[in-house]
Amino acid sequence: MASPSHRRPRGKRRGVLVPAVAVAAVGLLISLVVALTPDDGSDTVRATAASATGVDADARPSASPTATGRTPEAKPSTVSPTPKPSPTTPSARPSRGAAPTATAAPRPASGGAPLAGRIAPGTSYSGVATHYDAGDGDGACLYGPSADRMTAAMNTTDYETSKACGAYVLVRAADGASVTVRITNECPAPCAPGQLDLSREAFAKLAGLSAGKIPVTWSLLSPGTSGTVSVRYKTGSSSHWCGIQAIGHRNPLARLEVATGSGWQRLTRTEYNYFLSPDGTGCGGELRLTDIYGQRLTVDGVPVRPDAVQPTGVQFARH
């Protein structure tokens, strides 16, 4: 920005002896030149400020430095610099406080699913698919036998203490073949983060069983279904202790709560996919189920009937 001190001083004019008429003419000429000559340079400074800030300098009040977009000396600037482009990262899921392992797929923030764990909707994960004999479709999630063998076991990291249980996942092979599976089991080490161990029936939709292992991408689904959620109490449950399980939920389940005299009490989820009430609180009473999107389903008192699958007639909305 040009400073007034950088302007050259105007030279002095020397007077000469001329007739009175000539003197008057010269005086008039000098008056006109002075009137048309710019002042001490303030207009130039203001124009530069306007150019730098993108705001018309004449529209600014003659205020303090902060009013012109500058910050006082000795104070750090409050204007954030233009951010630099960051490495490509999938958008979307609140930080969970821990960075993913080097072999895990990115775990982005998920504004649309505030209660999601490691698996977020709207995100594609990379890994490998293997296959195993799923038998009757039962597994670590303890849902029991499944008539539909399109099931899979999730690696321990992404299984996340059974948070993945019941999730529907769309799996795609490199050649474009795809299959939708439901997570019913856990795949322990050496299954790596991002890996899915598919039932043989599901794997066969992607490649021949002889392939053994193939690269895949997979993502969470919120499928269409005509079914509703059911509730089951674990073997040994009573009014003094109970384990409660939700079955058939469209979206991954984030919380299960029981009603108490003072409100709702959240139960702890186990790795075998039951929510425990160690002192019997809420057993046989009203339940509240919450999915990863924050949707809540309230279920009237479900009697304690161990191992009985009891329909609720409600279901989470599709996302």
Side-chain angles (χ1 to χ4, degrees):
M1 179 181 296
S3 170
S5 62
H6 294 166
R7 296 170 62 88
R8 291 183 180 180
R10 291 188 290 275
K12 297 181 179 178
R13 302 180 182 274
R14 299 180 180 274
V16 294
L17 296 175
V18 293
V21 173
V23 170
V26 170
L28 178 60
L29 177 61
I30 292 174
S31 298
L32 291 174
V33 170
V34 171
L36 295 175
T37 300
D39 59 12
D40 62 357
S42 61
D43 284 339
T44 301
V45 173
R46 289 167 61 191
T48 303
S51 174
T53 60
V55 179
D56 184 356
D58 291 330
R60 293 180 180 274
S62 56
S64 63
T66 54
T68 62
R70 298 177 229 149
T71 53
E73 297 178 9
K75 287 188 179 180
S77 173
T78 57
V79 180
S80 301
T82 302
K84 296 181 180 180
S86 59
T88 302
T89 306
S91 59
R93 157 169 166 198
S95 173
R96 280 175 284 286
T101 61
T103 56
R107 308 296 174 185
S110 175
L115 300 180
R118 289 180 56 84
I119 303 173
T123 304
S124 180
Y125 300 95
S126 298
V128 297
T130 50
H131 61 79
Y132 77 110
D133 182 0
D136 61 5
D138 197 7
C141 296
L142 297 185
Y143 287 131
S146 173
D148 180 4
R149 300 300 173 83
M150 296 297 108
T151 59
M154 181 65 74
N155 67 83
T156 296
T157 300
D158 294 322
Y159 183 78
E160 200 175 4
T161 315
S162 78
K163 280 188 177 181
C165 284
Y168 288 87
V169 172
L170 174 64
V171 187
R172 291 186 182 278
D175 64 0
S178 66
V179 64
T180 298
V181 296
R182 184 169 65 107
I183 304 303
T184 62
N185 208 350
E186 177 184 8
C187 183
C191 274
Q195 182 172 346
L196 292 170
D197 203 20
L198 307 179
S199 67
R200 290 178 180 174
E201 293 84 351
F203 190 93
K205 300 287 185 180
L206 304 178
L209 296 180
S210 60
K213 178 188 294 186
I214 60 172
V216 295
T217 57
W218 53 273
S219 56
L220 186 66
L221 287 182
S222 179
T225 177
S226 58
T228 59
V229 179
S230 296
V231 170
R232 176 165 54 197
Y233 283 93
K234 196 177 187 311
T235 302
S237 292
S238 69
S239 59
H240 305 290
W241 176 95
C242 68
I244 311 171
Q245 178 187 62
I247 304 171
H249 41 86
R250 171 186 274 123
N251 307 318
L253 190 65
R255 295 176 181 170
L256 190 151
E257 299 165 287
V258 294
T260 69
S262 58
W264 293 98
Q265 179 175 312
R266 183 177 173 182
L267 300 186
T268 300
R269 191 174 199 164
T270 67
E271 63 182 5
Y272 52 87
N273 197 34
Y274 274 87
F275 294 80
L276 298 185
S277 177
D279 59 1
T281 300
C283 296
E286 192 175 23
L287 306 177
R288 186 165 72 178
L289 311 177
T290 306
D291 71 3
I292 62 172
Y293 300 97
Q295 296 180 91
R296 292 174 175 170
L297 302 177
T298 301
V299 182
D300 292 334
V302 179
V304 180
R305 296 174 184 164
D307 296 325
V309 176
Q310 304 183 64
T312 65
V314 293
Q315 179 62 272
F316 292 115
R318 191 176 185 183
H319 280 259

